[in-house]
Amino acid sequence: MQIPQKLIDSLQNVNGFDPTTFVEIHETPSPTSIRINPFKSTNQFDNFEHVAWCESGRYLPTRPAFTLDPLFHAGTYYVQEASSMFLEQALKQCLKLEDDLVVLDLCAAPGGKSTHIASLLSTDSLLVSNEVIKPRANVLVENLSKWGLPNTVVTNNDPKDFNRIPHFFDALVIDAPCSGSGLFRKDPNAIAEWSEQNVEMCSLRQKRILTDVWDSLKIGGILVYSTCSYSQSENEDILDWISEEFNVKSLKINTQDGIIQTISAKHQAHGYRFYPDKIKGEGFFLAVFEKGEDDVRNTTTLKYTKPRPNKKLKLETQVFGSWIESLEDYVWLEKNEEYFLINPEQEHNIKLLQANLYLRKAGIRLGKIAGKDLIPDHELALSVVLSE
Ligand code: SAM
């Protein structure tokens, strides 16, 4: 595998970079890893090696044909690169996950981080999983539908649309589009796409995305920023730029062996680097900030009127009752004759999102009512709310 010399040269002084072992490891295959859905029982991975930084992460000794496995399609696990599961440590150490939180995963397709976040949040919390590119948003909907949890909304919006809802989120996860050098071993085709110009273009785009979405984060909320690039201009330099642009505090995370701690040059912000020759996984970078006091630059008032309480109509209650385990714990929304089961604690937030953004789905898509029966959607079959 021919790693671009310009990339190697640019990393010479970067924390943890060892050109010899780095080049050598790219001649070996990537480990295969999966993350188990904690809400769907499976014992097929019980004896496999654990990913050190993720409770439900496992390494598989060989790479099976996942698409031939019914449990893969049933959402009992998600095939995910191990390093990126470190997000779990950021969320566990920097948020109170037992609280009711509203979290935005801004660049979410195909859904690796979103399925992970949804599994870690409390049942009364809400994950807003967004993808700007429409066909990719479809894949996101599909993967979250398979995951089966009702605490998720999928939106298909540009980052700047989120400044319509200032100070709304407790956490922003920005797994930014990047130059992708961290995935060269998994996807050698990415090498041909790599150039210094592309790294710079990605860096500018990362700053634009951060600027566009910043107002939607609450004061005291946290930003998790990550990339799968090794380049400083997409990582530590972005941390310096964030420190200059916004009022933030950089947060530290306790790490496992092999994860390299790094510090940005100007503002000493903390970052975490993953190299395939140091840990069992691919290239990854992650950092966390807490937002301080700020002035919301966009003062547009929220387009939102308080909803009338959702009436639980008798027919609907009867029709859904036989399909849903503990229907009393939920409410539903109707759109174009389709019904979506949501958490009553999040009804207010979901309606606010509906008034300001393009919602692709909210909660669990139940299906349509015909006469006195439900024509169930496939998503209901895959969900964790279906009764025995
Ligand atoms: N978080 C995802 C996961 O764990 O499965 C991977 C996200 S991928 C690194 C970055 C995503 O950002 C892609 O889905 C891409 O379509 C999206 N993206 C590209 N340009 C964007 C932009 N200008 N604003 C927001 N998202 C963008």
Side-chain angles (χ1 to χ4, degrees):
M1 187 177 291
Q2 196 62 44
I3 310 285
Q5 189 57 44
K6 284 186 170 160
L7 173 65
I8 295 178
D9 293 345
S10 72
L11 298 176
Q12 291 301 337
N13 297 319
V14 173
N15 246 358
F17 181 68
D18 176 337
T20 311
T21 51
F22 182 81
V23 169
E24 274 168 14
I25 202 75
H26 280 81
E27 299 305 326
T28 65
S30 311
T32 299
S33 47
I34 57 99
R35 195 170 29 73
I36 299 165
N37 186 336
F39 295 91
K40 295 188 176 185
S41 60
T42 173
N43 54 11
Q44 64 176 334
F45 304 114
D46 280 0
N47 299 323
F48 293 149
E49 185 190 349
H50 286 232
V51 176
W53 44 86
C54 174
E55 240 178 274
S56 53
R58 300 286 183 278
Y59 295 104
L60 308 192
T62 54
R63 190 174 182 91
F66 289 114
T67 51
L68 301 180
D69 180 7
L71 291 176
F72 167 74
H73 297 286
T76 55
Y77 62 92
Y78 190 95
V79 182
Q80 189 181 25
E81 194 286 301
S83 304
S84 55
M85 300 180 197
F86 185 64
L87 173 64
E88 176 160 320
Q89 295 304 318
L91 299 180
K92 282 186 169 169
Q93 296 183 38
C94 303
L95 283 172
K96 285 191 187 139
L97 287 172
E98 64 282 12
D99 288 355
D100 299 346
L101 302 171
V102 185
V103 177
L104 172 63
D105 183 9
L106 181 70
C107 310
K113 310 253 174 352
S114 278
T115 51
H116 197 178
I117 301 164
S119 309
L120 294 170
L121 293 179
S122 70
T123 46
D124 286 343
S125 292
L126 183 69
L127 167 67
V128 179
S129 180
N130 178 71
E131 170 59 42
V132 65
I133 298 172
K134 198 174 172 191
R136 291 180 62 82
N138 295 340
V139 179
L140 180 63
V141 167
E142 193 180 315
N143 282 331
L144 282 167
S145 300
K146 280 200 239 173
W147 208 245
L149 304 184
N151 62 353
T152 313
V153 162
V154 179
T155 55
N156 177 203
N157 281 86
D158 189 277
K160 70 176 176 323
D161 297 340
F162 287 88
N163 63 33
R164 295 178 197 149
I165 47 172
H167 292 174
F168 188 74
F169 296 105
D170 298 290
L172 295 183
V173 175
I174 302 189
D175 187 32
C178 69
S179 60
S181 46
L183 297 182
F184 281 173
R185 189 164 60 148
K186 257 182 90 181
D187 177 16
N189 295 330
I191 296 178
E193 317 248 308
W194 191 90
S195 67
E196 287 173 302
Q197 293 90 312
N198 192 32
V199 169
E200 285 321 304
M201 199 268 285
C202 288
S203 167
L204 288 174
R205 184 167 57 188
Q206 287 148 1
K207 292 173 188 169
R208 194 180 69 230
I209 291 173
L210 284 156
T211 306
D212 283 348
V213 78
W214 185 250
D215 285 349
S216 69
L217 182 61
K218 280 180 192 166
I219 293 163
I222 69 154
L223 164 71
V224 181
Y225 173 80
S226 64
T227 72
C228 55
S229 161
Y230 297 110
S231 296
Q232 266 181 313
S233 37
E234 299 180 75
N235 297 330
E236 288 85 350
D237 293 354
I238 295 284
L239 307 190
D240 272 337
W241 179 85
I242 291 173
S243 307
E244 274 160 25
E245 198 69 10
F246 310 118
N247 180 15
V248 287
K249 183 170 111 192
S250 164
L251 300 185
K252 274 188 97 166
I253 307 174
N254 297 321
T255 56
Q256 289 68 25
D257 286 350
I259 300 171
I260 305 294
Q261 302 198 27
T262 157
I263 295 275
S264 68
K266 284 195 216 154
H267 293 275
Q268 284 79 50
H270 304 282
Y272 299 89
R273 282 185 165 263
F274 290 69
Y275 293 98
D277 50 324
K278 303 274 190 299
I279 44 85
K280 203 169 167 182
E282 302 308 313
F284 185 61
F285 176 87
L286 183 143
V288 189
F289 289 96
E290 185 182 307
K291 181 173 179 172
E293 290 286 334
D294 74 346
D295 298 321
V296 171
R297 283 159 294 167
N298 174 356
T299 50
T300 323
T301 21
L302 291 180
K303 258 206 290 165
Y304 174 68
T305 43
K306 203 165 165 49
R308 277 173 289 147
N310 198 330
K311 275 189 271 166
K312 290 195 170 186
L313 298 177
K314 204 169 163 210
L315 172 69
E316 293 164 2
T317 311
Q318 265 173 12
V319 171
F320 301 148
S322 57
W323 291 89
I324 310 296
E325 190 75 47
S326 314
L327 184 63
E328 63 281 5
D329 292 345
Y330 298 98
V331 290
W332 46 87
L333 299 173
E334 192 237 305
K335 183 143 198 250
N336 301 335
E337 297 182 2
E338 274 194 306
Y339 288 86
F340 296 83
L341 197 74
I342 60 164
N343 184 324
E345 301 300 324
Q346 291 299 341
E347 185 180 7
H348 171 89
N349 282 332
I350 290 173
K351 289 194 168 161
L352 191 144
L353 291 166
Q354 205 173 17
N356 287 281
L357 298 165
Y358 176 46
L359 254 62
R360 284 293 317 275
K361 110 182 176 84
I364 304 291
R365 190 188 298 267
L366 296 177
K368 295 185 174 182
I369 292 181
K372 290 183 177 166
D373 295 317
L374 177 71
I375 306 174
D377 194 275
H378 184 58
E379 195 175 316
L380 174 58
L382 292 169
S383 78
V384 300
V385 303
L386 188 70
S387 80
E388 284 293 310

